[in-house]
Every structure is written in C-alpha cells, then in structure tokens.
Amino acid sequence: GVVLFNMVLAMLAEYATLGVLFRVYVGAEGWLAALPMVLLACLTMSYTFFGGLYVSILTDRLQGAASIVLVSVLAVYLCTRLRSEEFPSLSREQYGLTYAGYSSLLTQPLATVSWILLSESIWQRVWASEDDRGLRRAAWLGAGATVVVTFFFGLVGFLALWTGRADTTTNSNLLMYAFFSQTPTARLDGPFGLLALLCATLMAEGTVDSFQNGIAATLSTTLLRNQPLWVTRVMVLVVNVPLAVAGSSPQVSNVLELFLLDNQVT
C-alpha cells in the first residue's frame, strides 16, 4: 500500500508541476491548461502499454540525453547572463545559516533515499540490469547526473532571488523560471524560457512512464495477482487520467507540499 501511495502521489506531483508551468508560466486557461497533462498521460501510457519496461528504459535514455543537452545550453546562457547582473550582499537567511538550512542537510537526503527504496519504478531497473557491474556503473552515472541537474536547477532559482529577478510576488514553484523571464512574475517570454519548459516536460515524461510501469508491476503482483494483464493496464489507465486532470487544476498547485507529504509517508 505504501509503495502504491508513494508512486501515485509522486505522479500527481509531476502532473501538478506541469499544471503550474502551463497554467501560470505559459498562461494557458481552461481546457488548454489541462491538455498538456492529458496528452502526456496518453502518450506515456500508449508506449508503455505496448512496450512495457523495455520501451520505458529506451525512452528514458533518449529523454535523459535530450535533457542533458538542454541543461548544457541553459548553463551556457546562465554564465553569459550573470556577467551583467548585480549581486547585493546576502543576509544570514539567504546564506542558509539557519535551523531550517542546517536541517535540510539531513532531511533532503533522508527523504530522497526513503522515496527510492519504496518506489517499484526504481527497483524495476535494478532487476532489469544485465549484471552487477552494469548496475553499479549505471547507479554511479545516474546519481552523478541527478546531483548535477538538481543542483543546477536549485542554483538558478537561488540566483533569481539573489539578483532580484524573483521576489515575493513570484510563484514559489517558478523561482527558477523567473531567471529566464523579463519580470519577477515569471512568464514565458523568451526562447531560453521555452527551453527550460521543454526540459521540465521531458523529465516529467520520463518520470511518469516509470511510475506507470511501477504501478502496473505492483498491482499485477499484489492486488491483481490472479487477474489478466489487461485488467492491470486498465487500472493504470483509470488511475492516470484523473491524476492528469487533477494536476492541471488550480486547487492542486502546491507542488512542494505534495512531495513533502510523499516524503513524510515514506
């Protein structure tokens, strides 16, 4: 139950992330705001339905390579942009020299490890490894790439606050995107902001199809153990579409709280 809850809630957080991006950052309204999430759910379900874990791993490689290229382009833009920025003196709170700052050194790694250990989407890739040597190599490469990309996105958000490109009016989910915007309200108004949006969409796609496979594997070996495979696939469909629609709703907009709830449970 905890494993299923972990993956379902994390998938909702991914849909909610895209919902905030398209609803607030892009400015889509009504059914147009829900369309990207529904299309993403349908796209990922279509190729995982026919190809399963094998196709999911192949698409993960393509999505990962494309994301690294986009992050590299954004990093070059960041370096050139910083030359013209002014950096005021940082306060103690901005340095992170507070109780919350120090406690995050423990809570963030602990939450990440707990989430990984209770996610079938991760364990599927462990069992699919060709041998122990390949597993160790992939684990180190994946961990290194994750640290670099996560640090980059966090750094961009911090720089947006430091340079004044983001302020108290900025949506807390869009701090990073404020750096690529002309105003602190963080709106899509330039090509590099579009690249950042594309990068987030690609990474969300890779995460969602992994969760879909993980949920299918968990259901087929537990609650639906004696049922045909098509029943499991229908259940994954039943779960996905409402999550995609809910993720596009303004009522599900605090992405951080969703991830925190997931971390507290795991």
Side-chain angles (χ1 to χ4, degrees):
V2 174
V3 173
L4 281 174
F5 180 84
N6 178 26
M7 291 186 289
V8 168
L9 190 59
M11 187 158 60
L12 174 60
E14 294 293 335
Y15 286 133
T17 300
L18 291 183
V20 172
L21 285 174
F22 283 95
R23 190 175 60 254
V24 181
Y25 185 56
V26 177
E29 298 179 354
W31 66 270
L32 288 176
L35 183 61
M37 276 63 69
V38 174
L39 289 177
L40 177 66
C42 294
L43 173 64
T44 52
M45 282 189 294
S46 63
Y47 63 74
T48 55
F49 183 91
F50 292 104
L53 180 62
Y54 178 74
V55 172
S56 177
I57 292 175
L58 289 180
T59 55
D60 281 350
R61 292 178 177 178
L62 295 174
Q63 292 152 356
S67 298
I68 290 174
V69 171
L70 290 173
V71 168
S72 300
V73 173
L74 293 174
V76 172
Y77 171 76
L78 175 68
C79 293
T80 57
R81 184 76 173 266
L82 288 178
R83 296 177 181 178
S84 60
E85 298 290 341
E86 296 183 1
F87 296 90
S89 299
L90 291 175
S91 65
R92 181 181 178 84
E93 288 73 19
Q94 289 174 317
Y95 270 116
L97 303 177
T98 61
Y99 175 80
Y102 289 126
S103 64
S104 66
L105 296 176
L106 172 64
T107 56
Q108 182 60 48
L110 181 62
T112 302
V113 171
S114 300
W115 175 84
I116 289 174
L117 293 177
L118 291 172
S119 177
E120 182 63 26
S121 62
I122 301 296
W123 286 109
Q124 276 190 309
R125 282 147 177 77
V126 174
W127 309 136
S129 298
E130 184 176 359
D131 51 43
D132 291 345
R133 183 171 179 269
L135 174 60
R136 286 191 290 268
R137 183 172 64 251
W140 282 110
L141 288 174
T146 300
V147 169
V148 170
V149 172
T150 303
F151 174 80
F152 173 75
F153 287 144
L155 177 64
V156 174
F158 174 74
L159 291 174
L161 287 169
W162 190 3
T163 58
R165 290 193 169 276
D167 54 27
T168 56
T169 65
T170 307
N171 187 307
S172 59
N173 297 309
L174 302 176
L175 293 178
M176 184 199 82
Y177 298 90
F179 192 89
F180 304 105
S181 178
Q182 301 300 320
T183 62
T185 52
R187 294 292 185 270
L188 177 59
D189 52 17
F192 290 98
L194 181 60
L195 291 181
L197 175 65
L198 178 59
C199 186
T201 305
L202 282 173
M203 290 191 289
E205 180 187 356
T207 305
V208 166
D209 72 48
S210 298
F211 287 144
Q212 289 171 352
N213 275 291
I215 292 171
T218 303
L219 287 174
S220 63
T221 55
T222 54
L223 300 177
L224 302 176
R225 180 181 301 175
N226 299 320
Q227 299 297 322
L229 183 58
W230 68 266
V231 176
T232 301
R233 289 172 171 168
V234 170
M235 284 300 298
V236 174
L237 173 64
V238 169
V239 169
N240 261 269
V241 175
L243 288 178
V245 175
S248 65
S249 170
Q251 282 69 42
V252 185
S253 58
N254 197 318
V255 178
L256 182 58
E257 286 188 357
L258 289 173
F259 281 113
L260 287 176
L261 176 58
D262 194 10
N263 294 151
Q264 287 177 336
V265 172
T266 55

